[in-house]
Every structure is written in C-alpha cells, then in structure tokens.
Amino acid sequence: LPLLHKYHNFYQVLCDAKKEKKNLSKVMFISILLTLVAMIFINLNLDLFTTRQDPNHTLDIFIKPTAYLLTLFLAIDVIQIIFAAALRGAGDVQRVMWVRSVACLGFFGPTTYIISLIPGVPMDVKFVTMYTLYYATTAIMAILFYLRIRGTSWLAQKI
C-alpha cells in the first residue's frame, strides 16, 4: 500500500506539472503578444519617444535601424524572464542562479571585454556588438531554462 501511495503522489505531481506547463504556455503567449504590441506602437511612433532624449535628431541614423531589431531581442528577454520565474516559482532557484552566473560571467563578460579591446573598430560597431551579445546571452539562458522546464528533474525540488 505505501508503494501504491508513492506512485499515486508521483502521478499527481506529473499531472500538476502538465497543468503548470499549460499555464506557462498561456502566460508566455499573452506576455509576448503584449510586448510585441507595445514595441510595434513604439516603433511606429519612434519620433515621439526619441525627440525627448535627442531634440536635434543626431542619433536618428543609429536609432531607427536598430529599433526593429531590439523588438525581437526584447521578446527573447521576456521569454527568458518568464522561464526563470517559472523555475523559481517551482523552487528551482539554485539552477536559475547558476545558469545566470555562468552565462554572464563565463560568456557575456569575457566576450564584451575582448570586443572592447579590438583596435580600429568604430565605437558604435562595438556598442551594437556588445548589445547583441547581451541578448545572445539572454537567448542562451532562455534555451537552458526551457530545457530544464521541458524535463522532469525540476519536479524533484523541495520548497
């Protein structure tokens, strides 16, 4: 009888995990949709938002081409934040901490430092490259968090 109870609890945990994954996909869809709607609004009214910071429009050549790319990057950032929050809510806080630490200190920090030392490259190219590397790091974290959620080992976490 205790063995049956053990399997029943595991089955209940798996059913709860399926419900949580379904809820996670709903939250993901709504969050990305709202983020993209907000970013499309900002991109369509870019002059309204940039005139305040740059009244002479000296940065328009730099801002306008990158604004659309940043919309995509922001969606990746939202996905990573949602996955990390789901894992933290499930009690897998240590995994989130380790993934972020390794990604930032092991990938983002060294690569941006190396890029900053490259001679002869214009500063705006370095800035865009470093900014892109930030979002590449975010995408790596999102993929690692997704793989963790997709598996079942996070279910064994004790809160």
Side-chain angles (χ1 to χ4, degrees):
L1 192 62
L3 186 62
L4 184 62
H5 179 69
K6 180 180 174 182
Y7 285 117
H8 175 69
N9 285 343
F10 182 72
Y11 177 74
Q12 186 66 35
V13 168
L14 283 178
C15 289
D16 290 344
K18 287 179 183 178
K19 289 178 189 175
E20 293 303 321
K21 287 181 182 182
K22 201 177 237 185
N23 288 339
L24 180 64
S25 64
K26 290 176 187 175
V27 167
M28 182 85 62
F29 176 75
I30 291 170
S31 299
I32 291 173
L33 181 68
L34 291 175
T35 301
L36 289 178
V37 167
M39 292 309 294
I40 288 170
F41 174 76
I42 290 171
N43 282 329
L44 292 176
N45 299 305
L46 201 55
D47 288 335
L48 176 71
F49 293 99
T50 58
T51 304
R52 211 171 190 195
Q53 299 295 323
D54 185 25
N56 298 332
H57 297 283
T58 55
L59 296 176
D60 280 355
I61 296 170
F62 181 68
I63 292 174
K64 289 188 179 187
T66 59
Y68 303 108
L69 187 61
L70 291 179
T71 301
L72 173 68
F73 288 159
L74 188 63
I76 293 170
D77 200 17
V78 168
I79 291 169
Q80 182 266 137
I81 289 169
I82 291 170
F83 282 154
L87 286 171
R88 283 193 312 267
D92 202 0
V93 177
Q94 192 173 23
R95 176 64 57 109
V96 173
M97 178 192 68
W98 278 108
V99 166
R100 285 192 173 158
S101 297
V102 170
C104 291
L105 297 174
F107 177 72
F108 179 68
T111 53
T112 54
Y113 180 71
I114 290 169
I115 288 171
S116 71
L117 297 177
I118 297 173
V121 177
M123 192 55 128
D124 56 345
V125 172
K126 287 181 182 181
F127 175 76
V128 170
T129 306
M130 288 178 192
Y131 205 76
T132 304
L133 279 172
Y134 166 75
Y135 282 107
T137 305
T138 302
I140 290 169
M141 289 187 290
I143 291 167
L144 291 174
F145 294 151
Y146 170 75
L147 292 174
R148 180 72 170 177
I149 289 172
R150 192 171 165 215
T152 57
S153 58
W154 61 275
L155 297 172
Q157 296 295 319
K158 299 207 186 329
I159 300 176

